[in-house]
Amino acid sequence: MHFVVGILGLLGFLLLAWLPSTDRGAVRTRVGRVVLLLAVQFGLGFLLLKTGVGAAAVRVVRDGFDHLLAYAMQGTSFVFGDLVKVGADTSTGAPILFTVLMPIVFVSMVIGILQYLRVLPLVIRYLGQLLAWVSGYGRVESFNAVAAAILGQSEVFISLRNLLPRLPERRMVTLALSAMSTVSASILGAYMMLIDAKYVLLGIALNMFGAFVVASLMNPYTVTAFEDAEVLAAHPESVDGPQSFFGMLADYILVGFRVAFTVAAMLIGFIALLAMLNGIFAALFDGTTFQELMGHVFAPLAFMTGIPWHEADAAGGFMGTKLVSNEIVAMTELSRHREGLSDRTIAIVSTYLVSFANFSTIGIVVGAVRTLNTHQGAVIARWGLRLLYSATLVSFLSATIVGLIA
């Protein structure tokens, strides 16, 4: 039964992407690419969830991050001492600031080292070329999709700052959609401490391709080789001179530190806000909390992903929490209140949560682009709600595919 519901749900989400299309007629030219992209998503899902090779790859990545987190904990323990262990023997565990957020500083530094050694640029280039071949979009869009998953939603636009003035509106929108549909490698370790690593990796991979599925339906266009080359003529790496190794380390450490405490501030604010809203709604609506209301609103969409109806309210609550707050808050809630949910439901919800698609992201992306190019910042601001809608559909597509495979 869940297979039939999942197929119908997948078609429903594709329809929801096509209805507000900027050029419905042009979608016909992208149907072949949409089918190919969906086939790749199903192939990746099957590989990571159902094969020994996929399980081994997930294990290698997870073990690698476990080692990184262990190294990071040594630095955290040196600075904070016994505070790291406070609460470790209670049911809630050690404070999230130390166990989940502080490792972001070290992971950010490792990313900086790989960037400095030219490892990440090579990965971005070759994966971007492969993605361009599959998606049928330009190299700018494809490189951006890969870079966003590594550098982050704000940092990726810095790497493209020379290209921004040359990009027409539709291509700029696709870049923003990719940035909102993915997550940053610097906080993967934090995600893996809250949800299963395989769903983190699967969510990243599926969303990377899913963003082009939604873009093909909602924002279809073609890019010629000449147009792509013309934009790429402004090479982004030609802006800055060489940076010393230790200068780079300092920059990335400080970036990681700002990210960690920014996430901490967001957690404090949003979880407190959720608690207040839950209290207000419970007082006004005879015990019904805000999250329960969000669960009712998102329940039909959760059901479309293949989640059983009797679990749809609970799953919809996590999905709604992510939209109005952020993915870390929702993952934290899921890790604390997953009792009674089936393994498939947890797989679907976990995959859905792996993206930056929430209201606060609109401001983050608009602000990042506006500081680099005022005109393009205005473009993203004008498309803000449509971009959030699109990125949310990307998450639903990925979650539905996992529901069909799990």
Side-chain angles (χ1 to χ4, degrees):
M1 179 62 183
H2 81 273
F3 187 80
V4 175
V5 172
I7 291 294
L8 293 176
L10 186 66
L11 294 175
F13 290 125
L14 293 175
L15 177 63
L16 289 174
W18 175 78
L19 286 175
S21 176
T22 57
D23 189 349
R24 294 181 184 175
V27 171
R28 290 195 298 270
T29 64
R30 301 288 307 173
V31 170
R33 291 292 180 177
V34 169
V35 173
L36 176 59
L37 287 163
L38 288 172
V40 170
Q41 286 182 290
F42 274 102
L44 286 171
F46 184 83
L47 177 67
L48 288 176
L49 293 180
K50 297 296 185 179
T51 68
V53 173
V58 171
R59 187 164 55 250
V60 168
V61 175
R62 183 188 61 218
D63 291 347
F65 270 96
D66 285 344
H67 286 299
L68 290 179
L69 295 174
Y71 300 144
M73 189 54 63
Q74 294 188 35
T76 304
S77 298
F78 179 81
V79 173
F80 293 101
D82 291 338
L83 284 175
V84 176
K85 302 177 182 178
V86 171
D89 296 328
T90 70
S91 60
T92 57
I96 288 178
L97 175 64
F98 303 133
T99 58
V100 177
L101 301 183
M102 282 297 97
I104 293 174
V105 178
F106 179 68
V107 175
S108 177
M109 185 186 71
V110 172
I111 291 173
I113 293 173
L114 294 176
Q115 185 86 344
Y116 187 86
L117 296 177
R118 314 303 299 162
V119 174
L120 289 186
L122 284 177
V123 172
I124 292 171
R125 174 175 298 177
Y126 289 111
L127 284 181
Q129 289 175 347
L130 176 63
L131 187 57
W133 178 78
V134 173
S135 69
Y137 276 93
R139 286 180 294 167
V140 176
E141 289 90 338
S142 301
F143 292 168
N144 172 81
V146 178
I150 297 174
L151 302 178
Q153 61 182 341
S154 301
E155 293 79 4
V156 69
F157 291 111
I158 298 175
S159 71
L160 297 173
R161 55 194 177 277
N162 262 14
L163 308 185
L164 295 181
R166 298 168 176 253
L167 288 170
E169 179 172 324
R170 288 194 172 185
R171 299 189 73 177
M172 189 66 216
V173 168
T174 301
L175 299 189
L177 173 58
S178 290
M180 291 181 65
S181 300
T182 187
V183 292
S184 171
S186 64
I187 53 178
L188 291 189
Y191 295 154
M192 291 179 186
M193 296 186 72
L194 297 171
I195 61 176
D196 196 315
K198 63 185 175 184
Y199 302 125
V200 175
L201 299 178
L202 193 54
I204 293 171
L206 295 185
N207 289 351
M208 190 181 301
F209 290 93
F212 289 108
V213 172
V214 174
S216 295
L217 298 173
M218 187 174 290
N219 182 37
Y221 59 88
T222 57
V223 178
T224 66
F226 175 78
E227 290 171 334
D228 215 26
E230 189 177 34
V231 171
L232 287 169
H235 200 277
E237 295 175 358
S238 64
V239 177
D240 301 321
Q243 185 182 28
S244 70
F245 178 77
F246 290 102
M248 174 277 300
L249 284 183
D251 285 348
Y252 274 88
I253 288 171
L254 291 175
V255 166
F257 187 79
R258 287 195 295 270
V259 169
F261 275 91
T262 297
V263 173
M266 298 285 273
L267 284 173
I268 293 170
F270 277 115
I271 289 179
L273 177 62
L274 281 174
M276 183 182 73
L277 290 174
N278 283 335
I280 293 173
F281 274 72
L284 294 177
F285 301 106
D286 194 27
T288 301
T289 66
F290 174 73
Q291 284 176 285
E292 289 172 342
L293 179 63
M294 293 300 297
H296 296 322
V297 171
F298 273 79
L301 296 172
F303 179 71
M304 288 171 63
T305 66
I307 292 174
W309 183 252
H310 68 275
E311 299 180 47
D313 271 358
F318 300 121
M319 293 175 172
T321 296
K322 180 224 177 187
L323 181 66
V324 300
S325 56
N326 60 51
E327 75 286 353
I328 290 282
V329 174
M331 288 178 187
T332 303
E333 291 289 300
L334 177 63
S335 67
R336 292 175 176 175
H337 307 291
R338 57 191 296 167
E339 297 83 4
L341 297 179
S342 65
D343 290 341
R344 192 171 77 250
T345 295
I346 291 174
I348 292 172
V349 174
S350 296
T351 305
Y352 173 87
L353 297 181
V354 184
S355 88
F356 284 141
N358 57 68
F359 281 104
S360 61
T361 296
I362 300 175
I364 293 171
V365 172
V366 170
V369 175
R370 190 185 293 273
T371 58
L372 300 170
N373 187 284
T374 303
H375 170 71
Q376 299 291 23
V379 169
I380 302 304
R382 189 166 62 250
W383 276 76
L385 289 177
R386 287 168 63 90
L387 282 169
L388 178 59
Y389 175 80
S390 304
T392 302
L393 285 178
V394 172
S395 295
F396 274 117
L397 283 176
S398 298
T400 306
I401 289 170
V402 170
L404 288 168
I405 297 171

